[in-house]
Amino acid sequence: DTGVSQNPRHKITKRGQNVTFRCDPISEHNRLYWYRQTLGQGPEFLTYFQNEAQLEKSRLLSDRFSAERPKGSFSTLEIQRTEQGDSAMYLCASSGRGNEKLFFGSGTQLSVL
Amino acid sequence: DAKTTQPPSMDCAEGRAANLPCNHSTISGNEYVYWYRQIHSQGPQYIIHGLKNNETNEMASLIITEDRKSSTLILPHATLRDTAVYYCIVRGSSGNTPLVFGKGTRLSVIA
C-alpha cells in the first residue's frame, strides 16, 4: 500500500490550454474525492465517486471541469480552457468501506500563466 | 460552509501539550467531530474523530464537551514536526457527505 498517488506534482500551463491530472487511490478504496486548495484556504470539495459513479459535484465545478473514474480505479480531472483563477493545488483523496477516514495524496500544483 | 470555528493561529513550546479548541455549536446529534492536519506542501492527514465520548489514539486525544458544542484536540508532547494547519470538521455519521474544510488553526511549535 503506497498511499494515494497524484501525477504530475506540478503543472505549468498557459491560459486557454487544457490540462489533465491523474489520481491513483489506495487499492480497493471505493470512494475517491477531488478537492481544490488555494493559498491560505482550506481544501474545497469539488466532486466524489463511489466506484465508477460520480455521486456529487460542487457548484464550484464549472462546465470546464470534468472528472472520470473508469472501472472504479484511477481517476482523472480535466480542466479545459484554463484560466488564471484555476491556479491552485488539486488534491485527491480516497476512502474505504465505512468511509470514515479520507487518505489524501500530495496534490498537483497547477499554475496558469 | 464549514460548521466550525477555530482560532486562526496558535503557538506552543516544544515538549508541551498543544490544546487546539473548536466550536461547533450547531452540531446535530448524529454528526461526528473530525480532526485533520496539513503539513506544508502535503495533503491533509487524518488525526482522530469522535461522537460524544473522549477519544485517544497514538497521535492525539479528543475531548468533546458534554453538550457537544465544542471540542479540544490535545497533542500531549508537541514536537517541531507537529507544526501544521489543524482542521476541525463536523460530518454526518453515514460518511455519505464530503468533508467540508474551514481555514483551520495554524499551529507553530517553537523550540
Side-chain angles (χ1 to χ4, degrees), chain B residues 1-110:
Chain B
D1 292 335
K3 300 181 180 180
T4 62
T5 304
Q6 300 178 252
S9 64
M10 293 181 63
D11 292 338
C12 178
E14 188 178 21
R16 303 298 293 270
N19 297 282
L20 292 91
C22 179
N23 287 321
H24 32 78
S25 58
T26 61
I27 192 169
S28 301
N30 65 346
E31 290 182 317
Y32 285 72
V33 180
Y34 284 78
W35 284 83
Y36 281 73
R37 74 179 183 183
Q38 188 172 24
I39 296 171
H40 184 61
S41 297
Q42 297 182 21
Q45 175 192 23
Y46 167 84
I47 301 174
I48 199 168
H49 75 284
L51 182 63
K52 55 183 178 181
N53 296 322
N54 297 338
E55 302 287 345
T56 296
N57 63 20
E58 65 279 4
M59 290 183 69
S61 294
L62 173 60
I63 308 297
I64 302 174
T65 58
E66 192 169 345
D67 64 7
R68 304 211 320 124
K69 293 185 177 182
S70 65
S71 61
T72 301
L73 179 75
I74 302 173
L75 307 178
H77 305 287
T79 70
L80 297 178
R81 288 179 298 214
D82 292 321
T83 294
V85 178
Y86 287 78
Y87 298 99
C88 171
I89 302 165
V90 166
R91 187 189 191 202
S93 60
S94 66
N96 288 329
T97 55
L99 293 174
V100 177
F101 290 82
K103 292 188 177 182
T105 296
R106 181 172 298 278
L107 175 69
S108 298
V109 180
I110 303 167

